[in-house]
Amino acid sequence: MLKSSISDDALRLKAIIETATDVIIIIDENGAVELANEAAFRLFGYTREELVGQNIAMVMPEPHRSRHDEYIRRYCETGHKKIIGIGREVEGRRKDGTVFPLRLSVSEVKLQDKRIFAGIIHDLSEQRAAESRIIKLNAELEQRVEMRTEELANAVNQLLKINKKLEREIKEREAAEMLIKENETRLKDALQREKELSELKSRFVSMASHEFRTPLSTILSSADLIEAYVAGEQQPKREKHVKRVKSAVATLTGILNDFLSLSRLEEGQIVTEPVHFQLRSFCDEITDEIHGLLKPGQHIVHLIPEEPVNLFLDKKFLKNIFFNLLSNAIKYSDADLPIECETTLKDDKLCIRITDQGIGIPEEEQQHLFTRFFRAHHVENIQGTGLGLNIVKRYVELMRGLFL
Amino acid sequence: MKKILVIEDNADVRENLEEILELSGYDVLLAEDGTVGVEKALKEMPDLILCDVMMPKLDGYGVLNILSKKSQTSNIPFIFLPLKRKKPISAGA
């Protein structure tokens, strides 16, 4: 009973060993093959007779082939396990000499009288082949990726180049647009100036035709009368008309002078020539010279500091300013009214204030005060060029003065 | 003698006109502005009025307007002294 059961066990074991797909080899302490299964013969190409009883080193390539006996001997002496119970990937050698990868696990079995080693070997050839195929595929894939990457990089580079070119073109276009805009502004400015000039011209023509006509008609009629007075005793009458002609010419000259000084001022040809002089004697001169313009009963009241004031200014400019302002005050206020001319010194600055009791300038029209040829609407029928205050402004600015 | 009224604000022009017209044998009346001109026209009933257009206070158009509305002066011939033409000038008062 016992025997038969042992024999059953051996049969079972044998069947397992023989049908296993992995190689199973059992060797003794000297390395001689005690048992090998069918798979072992298939894998290594040896027949049972060629393998069983031979040294196992025959299925190993060098250097293990020569050293295997030594490995077993050293293990038996030291007990130091290099492969037993660990398992390792190593190489095997077929009968035809070809070498292939395999996985080897070894277990040690101690019998009563000796010990044996059982090795299980799994062929790794196909796995390796698959692995190397994967590696190859991987490499191919990587190469393709690299190629694609390079193509992409080229495309990107090209895009960048195009982008740069576009950016350059945009910049060029922007610059051109700026230029066009600048030109436009310049043209607009020029047009504006042209408009202003044209308006100025028409204002000048209307002013000139009015301002010149009166003195010219005086001159003509006086000339007619001089011609008519032929008798010797009519000399005083002739003289009166000669005087009238001269006065009309003076008026015309005055208007012309205003134009000339305005155009010189506009061209920037006039520079200040300051000289030293006394305020009091200057005011006396002005009063003397303007006397002839006063209407009956009009008089100029000078208010100046008690102490002597020494000035260092362009005397001609200052005189022109006083003359313009005072003649305005005379012209636009009635007879018998005083005109106040106050001159003070404040922080080294000369302050001129002229006050009349005349018609004044309407508040809504004061913004045009210094516009050339501008006349307030309520003085349109009074003679005047509309240049005086513009000239005053320019003289004051030339002397770096201000209007308060 | 025919009477002519001269309404003109510029003294030189006014006096020269006076002299020329007197030398030509007219009786001349003078007015230095429109208001005085209207007064003298109504008072003196001149045969002809010479009137400046641009004058302070009452201008030539104002003078013509007033005188043409009054029956006693509306038929007096009225001539503008055209020193400055701003509006078309209508003839006859």
Side-chain angles (χ1 to χ4, degrees):
Chain A
M1 191 59 204
L2 185 71
K3 191 176 182 216
S4 111
S5 96
I6 287 167
S7 155
D8 276 357
D9 281 352
L11 275 174
R12 217 172 274 137
L13 202 62
K14 194 180 179 219
I16 290 168
I17 289 170
E18 284 308 325
T19 55
T21 47
D22 277 354
V23 172
I24 299 170
I25 292 173
I26 293 170
I27 56 170
D28 62 16
E29 279 169 305
N30 299 315
V33 176
E34 283 192 353
L35 183 147
N37 64 352
E38 278 302 319
F41 309 131
R42 267 204 308 276
L43 186 60
F44 291 107
Y46 291 101
T47 58
R48 185 179 299 272
E49 293 71 35
E50 282 169 332
L51 193 57
V52 176
Q54 299 304 311
N55 192 308
I56 190 63
M58 67 186 288
V59 300
M60 296 171 194
E62 289 295 352
H64 306 294
R65 195 186 179 99
S66 330
R67 293 186 190 159
H68 192 248
D69 292 346
E70 172 68 15
Y71 295 161
I72 301 174
R73 194 184 51 78
R74 198 179 298 155
Y75 170 69
C76 292
E77 278 168 18
T78 62
H80 191 71
K81 290 176 181 169
K82 286 251 172 92
I83 193 161
I84 293 161
I86 298 168
R88 192 181 267 188
E89 278 177 24
V90 293
E91 283 177 327
R93 188 178 180 276
R94 291 194 190 88
K95 188 182 170 187
D96 59 11
T98 51
V99 175
F100 62 95
L102 53 85
R103 174 157 191 90
L104 169 68
S105 46
V106 179
S107 57
E108 181 186 4
V109 185
K110 283 188 176 130
L111 301 176
Q112 278 174 330
D113 51 343
K114 58 172 185 178
R115 55 177 153 189
I116 54 169
F117 302 98
I120 298 175
I121 290 163
H122 179 75
D123 183 7
L124 289 177
S125 298
E126 272 176 32
Q127 197 181 325
R128 280 290 149 84
E131 269 173 20
S132 72
R133 263 204 309 281
I134 286 170
I135 287 168
K136 202 180 152 205
L137 274 175
N138 224 8
E140 270 174 28
L141 218 62
E142 264 175 26
Q143 211 182 342
R144 265 151 105 179
V145 167
E146 226 166 76
M147 253 165 66
R148 289 280 186 280
T149 309
E150 208 179 300
E151 278 170 21
L152 264 176
N154 281 342
V156 167
N157 276 341
Q158 215 148 1
L159 272 177
L160 282 176
K161 254 189 227 161
I162 289 167
N163 214 15
K164 258 184 195 165
K165 205 175 144 204
L166 278 176
E167 268 174 17
R168 233 186 0 255
E169 275 173 19
I170 285 169
K171 262 183 200 158
E172 275 167 19
R173 193 159 299 176
E174 273 172 355
E177 269 170 17
M178 281 272 285
L179 215 71
I180 288 169
K181 265 186 198 160
E182 265 172 36
N183 277 342
E184 234 177 63
T185 333
R186 226 174 297 153
L187 277 175
K188 265 188 200 159
D189 287 352
L191 190 68
Q192 185 60 31
R193 267 202 303 280
E194 199 65 33
K195 269 187 191 162
E196 278 170 16
L197 268 177
S198 149
E199 201 192 324
L200 218 65
K201 204 175 112 190
S202 70
R203 271 193 279 167
F204 169 72
V205 168
S206 103
M207 185 279 301
S209 70
H210 180 239
E211 289 308 299
F212 285 13
R213 228 175 246 265
T214 306
L216 285 176
S217 80
T218 304
I219 290 167
L220 186 63
S221 52
S222 281
D224 280 344
L225 286 162
I226 290 168
E227 207 173 34
Y229 296 131
V230 287
E233 72 271 14
Q234 286 173 321
Q235 180 59 18
K237 290 203 168 183
R238 284 195 290 271
E239 278 172 8
K240 185 181 82 182
H241 284 289
V242 168
K243 224 172 121 184
R244 208 166 270 176
V245 167
K246 283 184 178 170
S247 147
V249 169
T251 306
L252 288 172
T253 310
I255 297 170
L256 279 178
N257 279 341
D258 274 0
F259 286 147
L260 288 178
S261 57
L262 189 68
S263 80
R264 276 204 304 272
L265 280 166
E266 290 199 340
E267 283 161 18
Q269 284 176 1
I270 290 183
V271 285
T272 55
E273 288 167 15
V275 289
H276 288 282
F277 58 95
Q278 287 295 321
L279 177 62
R280 189 171 292 275
S281 59
F282 176 78
C283 284
D284 290 344
E285 271 175 52
I286 298 276
T287 313
D288 276 355
E289 286 177 37
I290 211 152
H291 189 73
L293 296 177
L294 290 171
K295 290 176 187 165
Q298 276 185 334
H299 60 285
I300 294 170
V301 183
H302 277 291
L303 298 170
I304 59 173
E306 285 289 317
E307 65 278 8
V309 178
N310 189 28
L311 298 172
F312 183 64
L313 286 168
D314 191 303
K315 206 171 163 183
K316 268 197 232 157
F317 286 10
L318 199 62
K319 195 173 263 184
N320 215 312
I321 290 168
F322 269 99
F323 247 87
N324 262 300
L325 295 177
L326 286 172
S327 62
N328 276 354
I330 291 167
K331 197 155 134 190
Y332 299 109
S333 61
D334 285 335
D336 295 319
L337 293 170
I339 291 159
E340 209 175 86
C341 176
E342 187 186 15
T343 317
T344 48
L345 204 63
K346 200 174 172 187
D347 301 331
D348 230 24
K349 296 240 188 297
L350 191 67
C351 179
I352 306 162
R353 183 205 299 270
I354 288 167
T355 317
D356 64 42
Q357 293 169 35
I359 54 173
I361 300 165
E363 202 172 319
E364 66 272 17
E365 290 187 293
Q366 286 181 7
Q367 51 174 317
H368 305 299
L369 212 56
F370 300 110
T371 309
R372 285 171 299 177
F373 304 116
F374 171 77
R375 307 290 315 284
H377 74 275
H378 67 317
V379 297
E380 272 182 356
N381 287 337
I382 301 177
Q383 306 234 307
T385 57
L387 289 177
L389 284 181
N390 186 270
I391 292 172
V392 167
K393 179 172 181 268
R394 286 167 186 276
Y395 278 131
V396 167
E397 281 167 356
L398 269 175
M399 296 196 288
R400 278 174 300 219
L402 294 167
F403 291 90
L404 301 173
Chain B
M1 224 200 295
K2 296 280 187 187
K3 267 196 282 188
I4 299 177
L5 172 60
V6 174
I7 310 171
E8 161 68 60
D9 63 328
N10 184 281
D12 287 347
V13 174
R14 189 170 65 235
E15 282 167 29
N16 280 4
L17 275 172
E18 180 191 19
E19 276 187 57
I20 290 168
L21 293 171
E22 274 174 356
L23 282 174
S24 309
Y26 295 102
D27 188 4
V28 182
L29 299 164
L30 296 179
E32 69 272 20
D33 63 48
T35 320
V36 177
V38 170
E39 267 171 37
K40 285 204 174 172
L42 289 170
K43 198 174 138 202
E44 305 278 348
M45 293 299 293
D47 297 291
L48 173 72
I49 297 168
L50 298 181
C51 184
D52 187 12
V53 177
M54 290 184 60
M55 288 182 294
K57 296 171 187 170
L58 184 63
D59 68 8
Y61 299 111
V63 174
L64 177 61
N65 192 32
I66 293 169
L67 293 183
S68 64
K69 277 180 185 155
K70 306 230 179 231
S71 58
Q72 68 268 41
T73 51
S74 66
N75 287 319
I76 301 173
F78 191 101
I79 299 173
F80 276 123
L81 297 170
L83 290 182
K84 183 180 177 187
R85 283 173 214 255
K86 281 187 86 176
K87 304 175 197 166
I89 293 164
S90 62

PDB file of all heavy atoms in Angstrom, chain A residues 82 110 126 131 161 185 212-213 216 240 243 265 271 273 280 293 296 339 348 357 360 370 379 381 383 396:
ATOM      1  N   LYS A  82      25.185  32.626  -4.256  1.00  0.00           N
ATOM      2  CA  LYS A  82      25.276  33.623  -5.329  1.00  0.00           C
ATOM      3  C   LYS A  82      24.050  33.534  -6.234  1.00  0.00           C
ATOM      4  O   LYS A  82      23.651  34.497  -6.870  1.00  0.00           O
ATOM      5  CB  LYS A  82      26.547  33.365  -6.168  1.00  0.00           C
ATOM      6  CG  LYS A  82      27.833  33.767  -5.445  1.00  0.00           C
ATOM      7  CD  LYS A  82      28.450  35.007  -6.074  1.00  0.00           C
ATOM      8  CE  LYS A  82      29.605  35.517  -5.256  1.00  0.00           C
ATOM      9  NZ  LYS A  82      30.885  34.985  -5.673  1.00  0.00           N
ATOM     10  N   LYS A 110      18.963  18.762   0.236  1.00  0.00           N
ATOM     11  CA  LYS A 110      19.901  17.890   0.965  1.00  0.00           C
ATOM     12  C   LYS A 110      19.257  16.531   1.157  1.00  0.00           C
ATOM     13  O   LYS A 110      18.211  16.383   1.800  1.00  0.00           O
ATOM     14  CB  LYS A 110      20.228  18.523   2.326  1.00  0.00           C
ATOM     15  CG  LYS A 110      21.214  19.668   2.166  1.00  0.00           C
ATOM     16  CD  LYS A 110      21.697  20.162   3.555  1.00  0.00           C
ATOM     17  CE  LYS A 110      22.743  21.226   3.348  1.00  0.00           C
ATOM     18  NZ  LYS A 110      22.430  22.421   4.158  1.00  0.00           N
ATOM     19  N   GLU A 126      12.583  34.680 -26.809  1.00  0.00           N
ATOM     20  CA  GLU A 126      11.444  35.393 -27.423  1.00  0.00           C
ATOM     21  C   GLU A 126      11.166  36.711 -26.721  1.00  0.00           C
ATOM     22  O   GLU A 126      10.904  37.747 -27.371  1.00  0.00           O
ATOM     23  CB  GLU A 126      10.203  34.497 -27.395  1.00  0.00           C
ATOM     24  CG  GLU A 126      10.130  33.610 -28.621  1.00  0.00           C
ATOM     25  CD  GLU A 126       8.965  32.639 -28.565  1.00  0.00           C
ATOM     26  OE1 GLU A 126       7.931  33.028 -27.956  1.00  0.00           O
ATOM     27  OE2 GLU A 126       9.098  31.531 -29.106  1.00  0.00           O
ATOM     28  N   GLU A 131      11.515  42.336 -26.666  1.00  0.00           N
ATOM     29  CA  GLU A 131      12.050  43.554 -26.032  1.00  0.00           C
ATOM     30  C   GLU A 131      12.841  44.375 -27.031  1.00  0.00           C
ATOM     31  O   GLU A 131      12.673  45.590 -27.125  1.00  0.00           O
ATOM     32  CB  GLU A 131      12.940  43.169 -24.849  1.00  0.00           C
ATOM     33  CG  GLU A 131      12.167  43.095 -23.546  1.00  0.00           C
ATOM     34  CD  GLU A 131      13.043  42.546 -22.411  1.00  0.00           C
ATOM     35  OE1 GLU A 131      14.305  42.592 -22.558  1.00  0.00           O
ATOM     36  OE2 GLU A 131      12.461  42.097 -21.414  1.00  0.00           O
ATOM     37  N   LYS A 161       9.915  83.939 -38.743  1.00  0.00           N
ATOM     38  CA  LYS A 161      10.482  84.827 -39.772  1.00  0.00           C
ATOM     39  C   LYS A 161       9.389  85.678 -40.395  1.00  0.00           C
ATOM     40  O   LYS A 161       9.524  86.894 -40.539  1.00  0.00           O
ATOM     41  CB  LYS A 161      11.160  83.976 -40.857  1.00  0.00           C
ATOM     42  CG  LYS A 161      12.679  84.021 -40.787  1.00  0.00           C
ATOM     43  CD  LYS A 161      13.267  83.345 -42.009  1.00  0.00           C
ATOM     44  CE  LYS A 161      14.370  82.368 -41.618  1.00  0.00           C
ATOM     45  NZ  LYS A 161      14.639  81.406 -42.674  1.00  0.00           N
ATOM     46  N   THR A 185      -1.559 117.457 -40.421  1.00  0.00           N
ATOM     47  CA  THR A 185      -1.559 118.543 -39.434  1.00  0.00           C
ATOM     48  C   THR A 185      -0.903 119.776 -40.023  1.00  0.00           C
ATOM     49  O   THR A 185      -1.394 120.898 -39.853  1.00  0.00           O
ATOM     50  CB  THR A 185      -0.773 118.124 -38.170  1.00  0.00           C
ATOM     51  OG1 THR A 185      -0.824 116.725 -38.050  1.00  0.00           O
ATOM     52  CG2 THR A 185      -1.353 118.771 -36.943  1.00  0.00           C
ATOM     53  N   PHE A 212      -8.475 155.620 -45.088  1.00  0.00           N
ATOM     54  CA  PHE A 212      -7.741 156.432 -46.071  1.00  0.00           C
ATOM     55  C   PHE A 212      -8.644 157.446 -46.751  1.00  0.00           C
ATOM     56  O   PHE A 212      -8.200 158.500 -47.179  1.00  0.00           O
ATOM     57  CB  PHE A 212      -7.097 155.538 -47.134  1.00  0.00           C
ATOM     58  CG  PHE A 212      -5.870 154.800 -46.651  1.00  0.00           C
ATOM     59  CD1 PHE A 212      -5.573 154.747 -45.300  1.00  0.00           C
ATOM     60  CD2 PHE A 212      -5.008 154.184 -47.548  1.00  0.00           C
ATOM     61  CE1 PHE A 212      -4.447 154.070 -44.855  1.00  0.00           C
ATOM     62  CE2 PHE A 212      -3.874 153.516 -47.111  1.00  0.00           C
ATOM     63  CZ  PHE A 212      -3.599 153.444 -45.761  1.00  0.00           C
ATOM     64  N   ARG A 213      -9.933 157.100 -46.868  1.00  0.00           N
ATOM     65  CA  ARG A 213     -10.846 157.945 -47.651  1.00  0.00           C
ATOM     66  C   ARG A 213     -11.003 159.340 -47.056  1.00  0.00           C
ATOM     67  O   ARG A 213     -10.970 160.334 -47.788  1.00  0.00           O
ATOM     68  CB  ARG A 213     -12.207 157.267 -47.731  1.00  0.00           C
ATOM     69  CG  ARG A 213     -12.766 157.230 -49.109  1.00  0.00           C
ATOM     70  CD  ARG A 213     -14.046 156.440 -49.088  1.00  0.00           C
ATOM     71  NE  ARG A 213     -13.906 155.211 -49.849  1.00  0.00           N
ATOM     72  CZ  ARG A 213     -14.269 155.115 -51.131  1.00  0.00           C
ATOM     73  NH1 ARG A 213     -14.735 156.168 -51.771  1.00  0.00           N
ATOM     74  NH2 ARG A 213     -14.139 153.984 -51.759  1.00  0.00           N
ATOM     75  N   LEU A 216      -7.932 161.484 -47.497  1.00  0.00           N
ATOM     76  CA  LEU A 216      -7.745 161.698 -48.947  1.00  0.00           C
ATOM     77  C   LEU A 216      -8.777 162.675 -49.489  1.00  0.00           C
ATOM     78  O   LEU A 216      -8.436 163.538 -50.309  1.00  0.00           O
ATOM     79  CB  LEU A 216      -7.831 160.362 -49.695  1.00  0.00           C
ATOM     80  CG  LEU A 216      -6.615 159.461 -49.556  1.00  0.00           C
ATOM     81  CD1 LEU A 216      -6.856 158.132 -50.262  1.00  0.00           C
ATOM     82  CD2 LEU A 216      -5.369 160.140 -50.144  1.00  0.00           C
ATOM     83  N   LYS A 240      -4.405 178.044 -44.814  1.00  0.00           N
ATOM     84  CA  LYS A 240      -5.247 177.186 -43.982  1.00  0.00           C
ATOM     85  C   LYS A 240      -5.375 175.790 -44.632  1.00  0.00           C
ATOM     86  O   LYS A 240      -5.267 174.755 -43.965  1.00  0.00           O
ATOM     87  CB  LYS A 240      -6.630 177.826 -43.827  1.00  0.00           C
ATOM     88  CG  LYS A 240      -7.548 177.058 -42.882  1.00  0.00           C
ATOM     89  CD  LYS A 240      -8.910 177.697 -42.781  1.00  0.00           C
ATOM     90  CE  LYS A 240      -9.818 177.299 -43.925  1.00  0.00           C
ATOM     91  NZ  LYS A 240     -11.138 177.948 -43.881  1.00  0.00           N
ATOM     92  N   LYS A 243      -2.226 173.775 -44.590  1.00  0.00           N
ATOM     93  CA  LYS A 243      -2.087 173.188 -43.261  1.00  0.00           C
ATOM     94  C   LYS A 243      -2.983 171.934 -43.130  1.00  0.00           C
ATOM     95  O   LYS A 243      -2.579 170.906 -42.588  1.00  0.00           O
ATOM     96  CB  LYS A 243      -2.489 174.214 -42.203  1.00  0.00           C
ATOM     97  CG  LYS A 243      -1.534 174.270 -41.022  1.00  0.00           C
ATOM     98  CD  LYS A 243      -1.891 175.418 -40.126  1.00  0.00           C
ATOM     99  CE  LYS A 243      -2.202 174.956 -38.723  1.00  0.00           C
ATOM    100  NZ  LYS A 243      -2.656 176.087 -37.854  1.00  0.00           N
ATOM    101  N   LEU A 265       7.307 144.293 -36.362  1.00  0.00           N
ATOM    102  CA  LEU A 265       7.164 143.536 -35.110  1.00  0.00           C
ATOM    103  C   LEU A 265       6.879 142.079 -35.414  1.00  0.00           C
ATOM    104  O   LEU A 265       7.415 141.182 -34.775  1.00  0.00           O
ATOM    105  CB  LEU A 265       6.018 144.119 -34.281  1.00  0.00           C
ATOM    106  CG  LEU A 265       6.330 145.369 -33.465  1.00  0.00           C
ATOM    107  CD1 LEU A 265       5.045 146.011 -32.986  1.00  0.00           C
ATOM    108  CD2 LEU A 265       7.226 145.050 -32.294  1.00  0.00           C
ATOM    109  N   VAL A 271      14.343 145.061 -32.033  1.00  0.00           N
ATOM    110  CA  VAL A 271      14.936 144.678 -30.748  1.00  0.00           C
ATOM    111  C   VAL A 271      14.905 145.888 -29.820  1.00  0.00           C
ATOM    112  O   VAL A 271      14.933 147.034 -30.280  1.00  0.00           O
ATOM    113  CB  VAL A 271      16.399 144.191 -30.913  1.00  0.00           C
ATOM    114  CG1 VAL A 271      16.415 142.794 -31.500  1.00  0.00           C
ATOM    115  CG2 VAL A 271      17.196 145.131 -31.765  1.00  0.00           C
ATOM    116  N   GLU A 273      16.147 148.679 -27.308  1.00  0.00           N
ATOM    117  CA  GLU A 273      17.405 149.412 -27.048  1.00  0.00           C
ATOM    118  C   GLU A 273      17.200 150.241 -25.799  1.00  0.00           C
ATOM    119  O   GLU A 273      16.857 151.423 -25.871  1.00  0.00           O
ATOM    120  CB  GLU A 273      17.740 150.312 -28.245  1.00  0.00           C
ATOM    121  CG  GLU A 273      18.207 149.521 -29.462  1.00  0.00           C
ATOM    122  CD  GLU A 273      18.229 150.374 -30.724  1.00  0.00           C
ATOM    123  OE1 GLU A 273      18.155 151.612 -30.618  1.00  0.00           O
ATOM    124  OE2 GLU A 273      18.309 149.784 -31.800  1.00  0.00           O
ATOM    125  N   ARG A 280       9.747 161.360 -14.585  1.00  0.00           N
ATOM    126  CA  ARG A 280       9.035 162.652 -14.567  1.00  0.00           C
ATOM    127  C   ARG A 280       9.220 163.426 -15.876  1.00  0.00           C
ATOM    128  O   ARG A 280       8.242 163.860 -16.496  1.00  0.00           O
ATOM    129  CB  ARG A 280       9.515 163.511 -13.381  1.00  0.00           C
ATOM    130  CG  ARG A 280       8.665 164.766 -13.175  1.00  0.00           C
ATOM    131  CD  ARG A 280       9.032 165.459 -11.883  1.00  0.00           C
ATOM    132  NE  ARG A 280       8.653 164.662 -10.713  1.00  0.00           N
ATOM    133  CZ  ARG A 280       7.417 164.692 -10.171  1.00  0.00           C
ATOM    134  NH1 ARG A 280       6.477 165.435 -10.711  1.00  0.00           N
ATOM    135  NH2 ARG A 280       7.141 163.969  -9.110  1.00  0.00           N
ATOM    136  N   LEU A 293      -3.906 166.593 -29.429  1.00  0.00           N
ATOM    137  CA  LEU A 293      -5.016 165.664 -29.674  1.00  0.00           C
ATOM    138  C   LEU A 293      -6.203 165.902 -28.748  1.00  0.00           C
ATOM    139  O   LEU A 293      -7.304 165.423 -29.016  1.00  0.00           O
ATOM    140  CB  LEU A 293      -4.527 164.213 -29.491  1.00  0.00           C
ATOM    141  CG  LEU A 293      -3.456 163.709 -30.444  1.00  0.00           C
ATOM    142  CD1 LEU A 293      -3.054 162.285 -30.056  1.00  0.00           C
ATOM    143  CD2 LEU A 293      -3.966 163.722 -31.877  1.00  0.00           C
ATOM    144  N   PRO A 296     -11.621 169.857 -26.310  1.00  0.00           N
ATOM    145  CA  PRO A 296     -11.750 170.987 -25.381  1.00  0.00           C
ATOM    146  C   PRO A 296     -12.119 170.499 -23.979  1.00  0.00           C
ATOM    147  O   PRO A 296     -13.021 169.675 -23.826  1.00  0.00           O
ATOM    148  CB  PRO A 296     -12.903 171.803 -25.987  1.00  0.00           C
ATOM    149  CG  PRO A 296     -12.986 171.394 -27.411  1.00  0.00           C
ATOM    150  CD  PRO A 296     -12.483 169.999 -27.499  1.00  0.00           C
ATOM    151  N   ILE A 339      -8.503 162.538 -17.860  1.00  0.00           N
ATOM    152  CA  ILE A 339      -7.942 161.206 -18.141  1.00  0.00           C
ATOM    153  C   ILE A 339      -6.810 160.991 -17.138  1.00  0.00           C
ATOM    154  O   ILE A 339      -5.917 161.829 -17.030  1.00  0.00           O
ATOM    155  CB  ILE A 339      -7.409 161.135 -19.585  1.00  0.00           C
ATOM    156  CG1 ILE A 339      -8.595 161.191 -20.574  1.00  0.00           C
ATOM    157  CG2 ILE A 339      -6.601 159.856 -19.800  1.00  0.00           C
ATOM    158  CD1 ILE A 339      -8.186 161.630 -21.953  1.00  0.00           C
ATOM    159  N   ASP A 348      10.430 146.793  -8.515  1.00  0.00           N
ATOM    160  CA  ASP A 348      11.322 147.048  -9.653  1.00  0.00           C
ATOM    161  C   ASP A 348      10.601 146.992 -10.995  1.00  0.00           C
ATOM    162  O   ASP A 348      11.227 146.894 -12.032  1.00  0.00           O
ATOM    163  CB  ASP A 348      12.483 146.035  -9.667  1.00  0.00           C
ATOM    164  CG  ASP A 348      13.804 146.764  -9.805  1.00  0.00           C
ATOM    165  OD1 ASP A 348      13.843 147.950  -9.431  1.00  0.00           O
ATOM    166  OD2 ASP A 348      14.760 146.151 -10.309  1.00  0.00           O
ATOM    167  N   GLN A 357     -13.093 158.173 -18.665  1.00  0.00           N
ATOM    168  CA  GLN A 357     -14.509 158.049 -18.317  1.00  0.00           C
ATOM    169  C   GLN A 357     -15.340 157.966 -19.590  1.00  0.00           C
ATOM    170  O   GLN A 357     -16.442 158.487 -19.671  1.00  0.00           O
ATOM    171  CB  GLN A 357     -14.926 159.241 -17.436  1.00  0.00           C
ATOM    172  CG  GLN A 357     -14.234 159.182 -16.080  1.00  0.00           C
ATOM    173  CD  GLN A 357     -14.407 160.453 -15.273  1.00  0.00           C
ATOM    174  OE1 GLN A 357     -15.439 161.101 -15.334  1.00  0.00           O
ATOM    175  NE2 GLN A 357     -13.373 160.806 -14.524  1.00  0.00           N
ATOM    176  N   GLY A 360     -15.755 152.996 -23.104  1.00  0.00           N
ATOM    177  CA  GLY A 360     -15.233 151.680 -22.727  1.00  0.00           C
ATOM    178  C   GLY A 360     -15.419 150.638 -23.820  1.00  0.00           C
ATOM    179  O   GLY A 360     -15.889 150.948 -24.923  1.00  0.00           O
ATOM    180  N   PHE A 370      -6.889 142.471 -28.365  1.00  0.00           N
ATOM    181  CA  PHE A 370      -5.588 142.613 -29.014  1.00  0.00           C
ATOM    182  C   PHE A 370      -5.578 142.058 -30.436  1.00  0.00           C
ATOM    183  O   PHE A 370      -4.535 141.912 -31.039  1.00  0.00           O
ATOM    184  CB  PHE A 370      -4.511 141.916 -28.184  1.00  0.00           C
ATOM    185  CG  PHE A 370      -4.399 142.486 -26.805  1.00  0.00           C
ATOM    186  CD1 PHE A 370      -4.795 141.757 -25.700  1.00  0.00           C
ATOM    187  CD2 PHE A 370      -3.909 143.783 -26.617  1.00  0.00           C
ATOM    188  CE1 PHE A 370      -4.703 142.295 -24.428  1.00  0.00           C
ATOM    189  CE2 PHE A 370      -3.807 144.325 -25.342  1.00  0.00           C
ATOM    190  CZ  PHE A 370      -4.208 143.588 -24.236  1.00  0.00           C
ATOM    191  N   VAL A 379     -18.097 151.267 -31.890  1.00  0.00           N
ATOM    192  CA  VAL A 379     -17.209 152.350 -32.364  1.00  0.00           C
ATOM    193  C   VAL A 379     -16.959 152.212 -33.871  1.00  0.00           C
ATOM    194  O   VAL A 379     -16.064 152.852 -34.410  1.00  0.00           O
ATOM    195  CB  VAL A 379     -15.848 152.369 -31.615  1.00  0.00           C
ATOM    196  CG1 VAL A 379     -16.073 152.639 -30.143  1.00  0.00           C
ATOM    197  CG2 VAL A 379     -15.071 151.086 -31.826  1.00  0.00           C
ATOM    198  N   ASN A 381     -18.415 153.436 -36.244  1.00  0.00           N
ATOM    199  CA  ASN A 381     -18.542 154.698 -36.967  1.00  0.00           C
ATOM    200  C   ASN A 381     -17.529 155.741 -36.523  1.00  0.00           C
ATOM    201  O   ASN A 381     -17.566 156.884 -36.959  1.00  0.00           O
ATOM    202  CB  ASN A 381     -19.959 155.238 -36.826  1.00  0.00           C
ATOM    203  CG  ASN A 381     -20.941 154.422 -37.658  1.00  0.00           C
ATOM    204  OD1 ASN A 381     -20.535 153.767 -38.616  1.00  0.00           O
ATOM    205  ND2 ASN A 381     -22.215 154.445 -37.299  1.00  0.00           N
ATOM    206  N   GLN A 383     -13.542 156.769 -36.437  1.00  0.00           N
ATOM    207  CA  GLN A 383     -12.345 156.404 -37.188  1.00  0.00           C
ATOM    208  C   GLN A 383     -11.356 155.617 -36.315  1.00  0.00           C
ATOM    209  O   GLN A 383     -11.260 155.835 -35.126  1.00  0.00           O
ATOM    210  CB  GLN A 383     -11.656 157.675 -37.680  1.00  0.00           C
ATOM    211  CG  GLN A 383     -12.583 158.572 -38.470  1.00  0.00           C
ATOM    212  CD  GLN A 383     -12.007 158.914 -39.810  1.00  0.00           C
ATOM    213  OE1 GLN A 383     -10.891 159.374 -39.899  1.00  0.00           O
ATOM    214  NE2 GLN A 383     -12.764 158.671 -40.847  1.00  0.00           N
ATOM    215  N   VAL A 396       4.900 145.723 -25.341  1.00  0.00           N
ATOM    216  CA  VAL A 396       4.973 145.305 -23.931  1.00  0.00           C
ATOM    217  C   VAL A 396       5.649 143.932 -23.836  1.00  0.00           C
ATOM    218  O   VAL A 396       6.510 143.701 -22.991  1.00  0.00           O
ATOM    219  CB  VAL A 396       3.559 145.265 -23.310  1.00  0.00           C
ATOM    220  CG1 VAL A 396       3.579 144.528 -21.975  1.00  0.00           C
ATOM    221  CG2 VAL A 396       3.042 146.682 -23.109  1.00  0.00           C
TER     222      VAL A 396
END
